[in-house]
Amino acid sequence: MGWNGWSLDRVMVLAFGLLFLVLFVQVTLFHYRQNFRHWSMWIPVIATPLFGLCLLVFSFCKAAWLSSLLSVLLSVGIAAGAFGTYKHVHGVGKRVDGFKLRNFMVGPPLTLPAMISAVSLLALFALYWR
């Protein structure tokens, strides 16, 4: 199975699948460090490897049911990333002194949940690229 016959959308689906698996490692480390204080911390820990594995499988086997499943999962990923961004901004505000630069530097990372939304959106584009 050579790479010569692979279309750009197929390569991008594979790349986004790998990216979700890397995001899984980072999100798990951050939320583990915080002892999973809130139930919503489990959402990206469970969702990112699921998204990644489904995208990897889809890049090798284009099944119609998997395409439909990925459409739903990635749409949920966009919403979950937006919810995570809200929770992270709220978490920075709950720290001592509120929304000060120091709290943005040491508090919950604001860009990580937004990145999950962005990667989910880009993976949806790659899924329907024709």
Side-chain angles (χ1 to χ4, degrees):
M1 172 165 61
W3 285 89
N4 290 339
W6 281 44
S7 60
L8 178 62
D9 61 325
R10 188 175 181 189
V11 173
M12 293 306 294
V13 166
L14 176 71
F16 288 129
L18 294 172
L19 181 55
F20 270 118
L21 295 179
V22 172
L23 283 172
F24 162 69
V25 172
Q26 188 63 54
V27 165
T28 303
L29 290 173
F30 278 151
H31 288 172
Y32 178 77
R33 183 179 70 183
Q34 294 300 317
N35 296 317
F36 293 96
R37 282 191 237 174
H38 192 266
W39 63 268
S40 63
M41 291 177 144
W42 285 100
I43 295 171
V45 170
I46 294 169
T48 51
L50 180 64
F51 296 172
L53 292 174
C54 286
L55 285 165
L56 288 177
V57 169
F58 186 73
S59 68
F60 291 102
C61 161
K62 281 194 167 189
W65 66 270
L66 191 52
S67 176
S68 300
L69 176 65
L70 276 167
S71 296
V72 172
L73 289 176
L74 293 171
S75 298
V76 169
I78 293 168
F83 176 68
T85 300
Y86 164 76
K87 293 298 286 180
H88 280 218
V89 170
H90 183 70
V92 168
K94 287 175 66 174
R95 296 179 69 85
V96 175
D97 286 339
F99 295 103
K100 298 279 178 146
L101 178 61
R102 181 181 191 294
N103 289 338
F104 282 102
M105 300 292 284
V106 298
L110 299 182
T111 56
L112 199 55
M115 188 180 301
I116 290 176
S117 285
V119 173
S120 295
L121 180 63
L122 291 172
L124 263 177
F125 286 154
L127 195 63
Y128 287 107
W129 186 277
R130 299 226 158 103

